[in-house]
Amino acid sequence: MKRQELPGQTTDAASADSIQMKEATNESPSRSLIILLAIILSCLSGWWVSTVRDAGSLSLPYLRVDIAIVCFVCMLPLVILCSDWLFRIFSHHSPPLFKLVQIIFYTGAAGILVMALTSKSPSGTLSSYDAWESIILRPVLAFWLLMTLCLIEGQISGRGKSAESTFQQGLLIWGLALLTAILVPAIYIQSRVDEIVTTVEESLGSGRLGDARRLTREVCVLAPWQKISGMPAGDLARDLDRSCYEIERNLGYMQLEAKENEEAIYQRARLLTILGNRSEALRLLAPWKDQKTVSPLTCQLLGNIYQQQEQWEESEIWYRKSLNAWKRLPHSEQQQAGIVSAWKGIAFAERKRGNYEEAESAYLSALSLAPAADQHFLLAQFYEDTQQTSKAREHALQAMALNVDRYGKSGQKLITSLQQQHFGCFNVWRGGTR
């Protein structure tokens, strides 16, 4: 038999549904406000990180704008759950203790903001203690500031005055919120560390010790267990500090001599470039840029500086001037090495500008003068970028054959990348399995 509902029961059910809908409607604006304020706080933390980085210091514990925003946003679900628990249950069971908790959070948040805005961020290499402390501070600071924000919003919106709710979140929801707060930022930070390590290795290969030192310091804070080129990040940071200190001392001696000829200026600008102070190097070289006869080394250094600043057109101009200046000199090993270096600089600038035919021609010109492993691997990377898989594989194999110690692993990695990107290309698979 079909169960019949009494009119009163129907009315009560409708009233209950209506109350639930009203509660959901009343909670929706407050929840949206929390999310909006949390996003604003995340952006402000990222802005603070960027201001400290622009000043040349390490902005602990987040270091980078994107890391700060990710840590704050991922902490938001857990903070919302905790604030709901405080307002729905704890504030009704023990109001005096709840007030004490509020005071603790407000005082702590004020102290955090004062320290962030007034303290001087470190610019030197940190100890392992500082690095592990930074790892702990990242989630703690995000939780503390966001919780304080939620408590303030709850008082303003009146969530603390609402009736006690029997609604409770399950362990699954709490577990997911906790994983989001801890695990997602950790995975993201490790991916950024891997990118930084690659950049450090490239900077070391090109002699940019200042850039390598700055990035290695960041690795020491973000992942102190990380290794770079088989060496612990902390050990490499200390070695780079010593090397850069020696360069800075030599630079100080040169400045005391106060020689103003082109060779002396070039040497000082070269050391500044190694340290990563490219703006000062350009300022020193500015008087020689307008000279009719400029040393090929000066032209090459200018091309290198503009390349590091990603000013590709200026970089190409100065590398071509360097090429022409080298060609006017008598034949020698230094002259041939200078021409090869100029062709490689031209090729890289053309590649970045999207002029792939000119870039290929420049790379081949360098290869014809010096058929070494370095040139073959540069061509392999170029052909990989331009989707010329057969040529990329061929030059990668030649680089590996000429210098297996340096290009054995990187060459195999490039071939593996080609196999993954071009799954249906039989030639790549056949060449990669030789």
Side-chain angles (χ1 to χ4, degrees):
M1 294 179 62
K2 186 177 181 181
R3 183 176 178 271
Q4 294 182 349
E5 294 183 354
L6 296 177
Q9 292 176 336
T10 305
T11 304
D12 292 342
S15 299
D17 292 341
S18 176
I19 291 173
Q20 290 178 357
M21 291 178 63
K22 287 181 179 179
E23 288 179 352
T25 303
N26 291 334
E27 287 185 2
S28 178
S30 63
R31 185 55 45 79
S32 300
L33 181 60
I34 290 175
I35 295 174
L36 178 61
L37 291 175
I39 292 174
I40 293 174
L41 180 61
S42 302
C43 294
L44 287 175
S45 66
W47 168 81
W48 173 77
V49 170
S50 66
T51 58
V52 179
R53 284 179 60 85
D54 291 341
S57 298
L58 294 178
S59 46
L60 295 175
Y62 297 106
L63 289 171
R64 290 173 176 256
V65 176
D66 54 332
I67 291 176
I69 293 175
V70 167
C71 288
F72 273 77
V73 171
C74 290
M75 185 61 68
L76 183 58
L78 181 62
V79 168
I80 290 177
L81 289 177
C82 292
S83 64
D84 281 352
W85 179 78
L86 286 173
F87 276 113
R88 293 173 186 266
I89 300 175
F90 191 60
S91 63
H92 295 283
H93 287 180
S94 183
L97 192 56
F98 177 70
K99 290 292 184 183
L100 179 61
V101 171
Q102 286 181 304
I103 293 173
I104 292 174
F105 271 99
Y106 295 160
T107 305
I112 291 171
L113 293 177
V114 170
M115 290 179 62
L117 297 176
T118 60
S119 62
K120 194 172 183 180
S121 297
S123 58
T125 300
L126 304 172
S127 65
S128 58
Y129 172 80
D130 296 318
W132 289 107
E133 182 184 62
S134 180
I135 292 174
I136 296 172
L137 284 175
R138 274 194 288 273
V140 170
L141 292 180
F143 178 83
W144 199 283
L145 292 176
L146 286 173
M147 179 61 77
T148 304
L149 189 67
C150 285
L151 291 175
I152 294 173
E153 183 276 333
Q155 289 296 111
I156 295 174
S157 63
R159 275 197 296 156
K161 299 177 181 179
S162 61
E164 181 179 354
S165 174
T166 59
F167 176 75
Q168 293 183 355
Q169 299 289 358
L171 291 177
L172 179 61
I173 300 298
W174 281 93
L176 289 175
L178 187 61
L179 286 176
T180 302
I182 303 299
L183 190 60
V184 173
I187 294 173
Y188 180 81
I189 289 171
Q190 186 58 47
S191 68
R192 298 292 283 130
V193 167
D194 293 339
E195 294 177 7
I196 296 173
V197 168
T198 301
T199 306
V200 169
E201 292 174 346
E202 292 175 354
S203 299
L204 290 173
S206 58
R208 291 178 285 152
L209 300 186
D211 293 340
R213 177 175 61 169
R214 174 178 57 83
L215 294 173
T216 303
R217 289 173 179 172
E218 296 188 2
V219 174
C220 290
V221 175
L222 294 174
W225 56 84
Q226 187 73 38
K227 289 188 175 182
I228 303 175
S229 299
M231 180 183 296
D235 294 345
L236 178 60
R238 285 185 285 272
D239 289 347
L240 288 171
D241 277 343
R242 285 191 290 267
S243 299
C244 290
Y245 173 74
E246 290 295 328
I247 295 174
E248 290 168 352
R249 188 172 64 175
N250 293 335
L251 188 60
Y253 292 148
M254 292 180 180
Q255 290 173 342
L256 290 175
E257 294 177 0
K259 292 182 179 179
E260 296 299 328
N261 57 64
E262 184 180 358
E263 182 179 357
I265 295 297
Y266 163 78
Q267 293 296 340
R268 288 168 57 189
R270 184 179 66 85
L271 294 181
L272 286 169
T273 304
I274 292 174
L275 292 174
N277 196 346
R278 290 175 279 272
S279 299
E280 180 64 19
L282 285 175
R283 188 190 66 80
L284 282 178
L285 294 173
W288 304 98
K289 291 170 64 175
D290 298 328
Q291 300 291 330
K292 292 183 179 180
T293 57
V294 185
S295 166
L297 291 173
T298 301
C299 296
Q300 194 164 303
L301 180 59
L302 284 166
N304 186 22
I305 294 173
Y306 285 121
Q307 182 185 101
Q308 294 177 26
Q309 293 181 336
E310 298 185 359
Q311 299 183 37
W312 310 120
E313 186 175 356
E314 286 292 324
S315 175
E316 183 198 351
I317 289 172
W318 284 102
Y319 271 120
R320 289 196 179 277
K321 288 183 178 181
S322 173
L323 176 64
N324 295 331
W326 282 118
K327 287 182 176 179
R328 289 194 293 267
L329 296 179
H331 184 276
S332 65
E333 290 186 5
Q334 183 185 15
Q335 186 236 19
Q336 290 297 295
I339 291 176
V340 170
S341 180
W343 275 124
K344 289 195 293 185
I346 293 168
F348 191 76
E350 294 284 17
R351 175 179 167 187
K352 288 295 185 178
R353 295 175 64 192
N355 302 328
Y356 297 120
E357 292 184 3
E358 291 82 356
E360 181 181 17
S361 176
Y363 278 127
L364 291 173
S365 297
L367 181 65
S368 64
L369 291 171
D374 294 346
Q375 276 63 258
H376 280 292
F377 194 73
L378 286 174
L379 267 169
Q381 291 177 317
F382 168 75
Y383 286 131
E384 180 192 20
D385 286 348
T386 54
Q387 305 297 310
Q388 302 182 58
T389 56
S390 298
K391 292 182 178 180
R393 175 187 59 81
E394 176 186 349
H395 285 281
L397 290 173
Q398 291 189 50
M400 294 165 65
L402 291 171
N403 193 339
V404 67
D405 293 334
R406 181 171 182 180
Y407 293 112
K409 291 183 179 179
S410 55
Q412 187 58 50
K413 183 179 179 180
L414 188 147
I415 292 174
T416 302
S417 175
L418 291 172
Q419 292 170 345
Q420 294 172 349
Q421 295 175 18
H422 306 276
F423 185 77
C425 184
F426 177 72
N427 287 333
V428 176
W429 282 93
R430 183 179 60 185
T433 55
R434 287 179 182 177

